[in-house]
Amino acid sequence: MAKLKTKFIFVAGGVMSGIGKGVTVASTARILKDYGFKVTAVKIDPYLNVDAGTMNPIEHGEVFVTDDGMECDQDIGNYERFADEDILRGNYMTTGLVYQSVINRERNLGYGGKCVQIIPHVTDEIENRLVRVAKKSKADFVLIEIGGTVGEYENLLFLETGRIMRLRMPGQVLFMLVSYFPIPKMVGEMKTKPTQHAVRSLNSAGIQPDFIIARASVALDEVRKDKVSIFCNMQVQDIISAPDISSIYEVPVNFERDNLGKRILQKVGMKAKAKNFRPWNNLVKKIKEAKEPVKIGIVGKYFGTGDFTLTDSYISVLEAIKHAAWSLNRKPEITWLDAEVYEKQPAKLEELKNFDGIIVPGGFGKRGVEGKILAINYVRENNIPYLGLCYGLQLAVVEFARNVCGLKDAHTLEVNPEAAHPVIHTMADQIGKIKNKEMGGSMRLGAYKCQLAKNSLCAKLYGTNLISERHRHRYEVNNKYRKALEQKGLVLAGHNPKHDLVEMIELPGHKFFVGSQFHPELKSRPLNPHPLFVGLVKAAIGK
Ligand code: GLN
């Protein structure tokens, strides 16, 4: 068998979580891609959940969906956005998934009577998965983010796999530690000690990092770099500053300022094949130069946990709005609007007039639904540009059925299983799954083709009649009501050619009123903004 030439870069976190490991992986992938290499990235979540689909997005962030239908961590979204590469199912793994395969194999006598052990059988399973990613993607570099921080029990096994891989593939495996450097107020200076401990912790797992990505509010000064160099046993030039910045898309530019890409290539003995930094640098310039605002409101059900977690729950929607706005030289101003407020105080709906465009994003369950329907009614009647994503399409259909078609108690069966007019109903293949509580990884997931109606606005926006978009839902427009909806002027602008499902709606005569049963936000990229979001922003700024 030909020797695998792929280089693997493991990225672990030190000191605390939430400091940007995902963006580090994504940015490094971008840099290596701009040096002319084929890259891909893997996310490892050290949970027992088999995938991210059953995890609460309020606690864990958005569930991202790949083309091949894997429900995975939101970091995969960042990898796709930065690297502008589609990531597949095999690039996401959890402890649960890894153990599940080892146990299944054991039950099928796959270990030939051996005592099945965490080392080597589980670590081998992890390594095999990473090697499969390398082969399938044909990538020169596979970046691997290990969730959590070093020193936790949960991710030790993955560090151990990295250590073994470095042993087995000398010169092909690197380690990066993304660590935090606090500046405590009462001390007034940046402290390196927590990072020193994190490196020690990594050392005790048998790993010396090749790079430290130094997350802090400001760049590290020479004194700090020297200190880290001595105490952590590293060259000064391998300590890369990662100060806080206003846009994450600036991170690759900052990393290259500290020569991260060049140092990686040196360490693995490779030469740059190209230097394609211009498109990304132009993007960063555009982001910085955009001054004139476009105001987009997102109407959703909100929780008492503050805006911070919400931002994570809808990260792809937010990024898609930004990509579109920047491409039109606008500064995106995004506001969260609480649907439940409209239920209690309908007069508050007037505030929707202050926005250039409104989005109702994906969602599940009952709470806030009537408020969302009221908001959709308001933007439809007041000619305010509207984009409905998944639930946002379904509730737009409910609103239209109720208020235009006169089907007063029209609803989705998800909220009212007894609705007299179930204009949104359970998909045929979902009925049994819901009944038997088979809820893990069982929605309609991943990419499906969608045929767009000739001369529709949707077809015009996409510039083609056949598209492919990603789904995550159990309910659908009820075909029995198609005629009633169409007779009153709703255009069912997109449908699944195989199963004849309604996938897109639009309302002619309105400034912009479009809904999609899929999640276009999952495919928006900063260098390639999504046509539906571009359409919304264009309408919002009166173009
Ligand atoms: N709750 C709806 C469904 O399951 C919409 C899902 C979504 O918005 N992702 O069909």
Side-chain angles (χ1 to χ4, degrees):
M1 200 180 73
K3 189 176 165 285
L4 190 68
K5 288 208 187 107
T6 316
K7 310 292 184 279
F8 297 87
I9 305 178
F10 285 88
V11 179
V15 181
M16 63 188 205
S17 65
I19 51 168
K21 278 195 304 290
V23 172
T24 297
V25 168
S27 300
T28 309
R30 180 74 233 172
I31 291 170
L32 292 169
K33 180 167 176 169
D34 285 345
Y35 274 124
F37 296 102
K38 177 119 185 64
V39 294
T40 192
V42 172
K43 170 77 194 247
I44 296 176
D45 267 336
Y47 313 112
L48 287 178
N49 304 60
V50 171
D51 58 43
T54 52
M55 287 193 253
N56 182 351
I58 299 297
E59 276 166 38
H60 191 74
E62 167 189 275
V63 179
F64 193 79
V65 182
T66 59
D67 257 350
D68 58 352
M70 180 65 156
E71 292 175 294
C72 53
D73 185 80
Q74 54 167 324
D75 279 322
I76 298 277
N78 270 330
Y79 308 161
E80 286 203 345
R81 287 188 280 271
F82 277 72
D84 204 356
E85 293 282 339
D86 286 344
I87 302 260
L88 294 175
R89 178 174 284 275
N91 290 43
Y92 181 62
M93 69 180 99
T94 64
T95 302
L97 183 67
V98 170
Y99 272 82
Q100 194 181 48
S101 355
V102 171
I103 291 170
N104 285 345
R105 188 170 158 197
E106 185 277 328
R107 294 286 82 186
N108 298 327
L109 304 180
Y111 291 100
K114 283 206 185 87
C115 169
V116 181
Q117 296 185 289
I118 291 181
I119 300 167
H121 300 109
V122 176
T123 46
D124 279 354
E125 171 66 28
I126 300 166
E127 180 173 338
N128 289 342
R129 282 173 177 266
L130 295 175
V131 167
R132 273 206 299 274
V133 167
K135 286 184 180 159
K136 192 165 178 187
S137 65
K138 298 197 173 71
D140 300 298
F141 287 91
V142 178
L143 289 118
I144 305 136
E145 177 184 353
I146 301 179
T149 41
V150 294
E152 290 166 10
Y153 284 115
E154 289 199 320
N155 57 20
L156 255 181
L157 201 55
F158 299 104
L159 291 173
E160 180 68 0
T161 307
R163 182 190 68 77
I164 297 170
M165 284 176 71
R166 165 123 91 180
L167 192 68
R168 287 180 178 159
M169 299 185 230
Q172 284 175 257
V173 177
L174 298 179
F175 284 91
M176 266 187 197
L177 180 72
V178 183
S179 196
Y180 186 64
F181 293 71
I183 308 178
K185 254 202 201 114
M186 65 289 190
V187 184
E189 64 168 74
M190 182 187 282
K191 304 308 280 181
T192 65
K193 191 71 82 193
T195 294
Q196 294 178 37
H197 282 295
V199 171
R200 290 276 148 85
S201 182
L202 203 52
N203 289 160
S204 69
I207 296 164
Q208 171 64 29
D210 298 279
F211 295 98
I212 287 182
I213 306 297
R215 283 287 298 114
S217 54
V218 294
L220 262 61
D221 56 19
E222 290 309 311
V223 178
R224 283 341 103 158
K225 281 198 175 181
D226 281 337
K227 214 169 177 178
V228 177
S229 158
I230 296 290
F231 284 102
C232 299
N233 197 21
M234 302 184 59
Q235 302 291 331
V236 170
Q237 62 264 45
D238 294 334
I239 301 155
I240 310 292
S241 275
D244 289 349
I245 31 171
S246 53
S247 166
I248 53 169
Y249 296 113
E250 223 182 308
V251 174
V253 179
N254 270 2
F255 280 180
E256 253 328 72
R257 206 165 283 147
D258 270 6
N259 297 314
L260 176 63
K262 290 189 198 98
R263 287 293 290 166
I264 291 176
L265 295 182
Q266 274 173 14
K267 283 184 194 251
V268 295
M270 289 167 86
K271 283 215 164 66
K273 288 187 186 162
K275 259 193 173 171
N276 304 323
F277 291 95
R278 192 170 295 150
W280 200 267
N281 289 341
N282 284 346
L283 166 76
V284 172
K285 199 164 154 248
K286 260 193 151 164
I287 295 173
K288 286 190 167 162
E289 284 173 358
K291 293 276 164 349
E292 211 179 325
V294 55
K295 293 185 195 160
I296 306 291
I298 305 179
V299 181
K301 71 169 171 191
Y302 295 135
F303 296 80
T305 43
D307 286 352
F308 178 75
T309 31
L310 277 178
T311 302
D312 266 13
S313 312
Y314 286 113
I315 180 159
S316 291
V317 177
L318 296 176
E319 295 309 309
I321 298 169
K322 292 180 198 170
H323 304 159
W326 293 326
S327 76
L328 295 161
N329 302 312
R330 291 292 177 127
K331 187 182 155 96
E333 266 184 32
I334 303 169
T335 309
W336 300 103
L337 302 167
D338 186 348
E340 282 177 283
V341 169
Y342 303 140
E343 294 171 8
K344 289 172 213 140
Q345 299 162 265
K348 280 262 161 108
L349 286 163
E350 290 289 321
E351 73 180 1
L352 296 173
K353 275 209 171 116
N354 303 331
F355 295 93
D356 304 316
I358 293 292
I359 289 178
V360 171
F364 294 85
K366 197 178 195 154
R367 202 148 68 78
V369 157
E370 289 305 324
K372 290 181 196 175
I373 294 172
L374 286 172
I376 296 168
N377 173 258
Y378 190 90
V379 298
R380 183 177 58 74
E381 288 183 347
N382 289 281
N383 208 12
I384 298 168
Y386 173 73
L387 180 60
L389 310 170
C390 201
Y391 220 11
L393 169 142
Q394 297 176 356
L395 298 178
V397 169
V398 171
E399 190 281 322
F400 195 84
R402 284 185 190 174
N403 300 318
V404 182
C405 305
L407 305 171
K408 282 287 164 256
D409 43 12
H411 220 322
T412 162
L413 290 183
E414 179 176 0
V415 177
N416 179 6
E418 256 93 65
H421 292 293
V423 289
I424 305 297
H425 68 162
T426 321
M427 299 186 73
D429 66 335
Q430 291 292 331
I431 297 171
K433 293 177 189 167
I434 296 173
K435 210 168 129 206
N436 302 326
K437 289 219 158 111
E438 289 162 28
M439 302 307 252
S442 65
M443 285 189 231
R444 180 174 182 234
L445 290 169
Y448 286 88
K449 290 220 161 74
C450 170
Q451 184 78 47
L452 300 175
K454 260 196 204 130
N455 306 322
S456 61
L457 170 64
C458 291
K460 217 163 98 198
L461 291 170
Y462 276 97
T464 169
N465 286 328
L466 190 64
I467 57 168
S468 168
E469 292 278 7
R470 298 182 193 168
H471 295 249
R472 182 170 189 258
H473 59 114
R474 299 189 196 276
Y475 299 84
E476 260 291 353
V477 173
N478 185 344
N479 281 341
K480 276 193 206 139
Y481 290 92
R482 275 167 91 144
K483 244 206 191 119
L485 296 165
E486 282 174 325
Q487 266 168 5
K488 292 288 179 185
L490 191 68
V491 171
L492 309 178
H495 74 276
N496 177 287
K498 233 187 185 163
H499 298 110
D500 197 28
L501 305 166
V502 175
E503 310 276 39
M504 295 204 76
I505 59 164
E506 65 184 54
L507 199 55
H510 194 282
K511 259 193 209 159
F512 187 94
F513 192 95
V514 172
S516 68
Q517 184 53 73
F518 46 79
H519 290 274
E521 69 272 21
L522 301 177
K523 286 184 54 163
S524 177
R525 311 262 165 95
L527 295 183
N528 200 0
H530 195 284
L532 294 184
F533 285 86
V534 172
L536 173 76
V537 174
K538 267 192 182 161
I541 62 181
K543 273 199 186 170

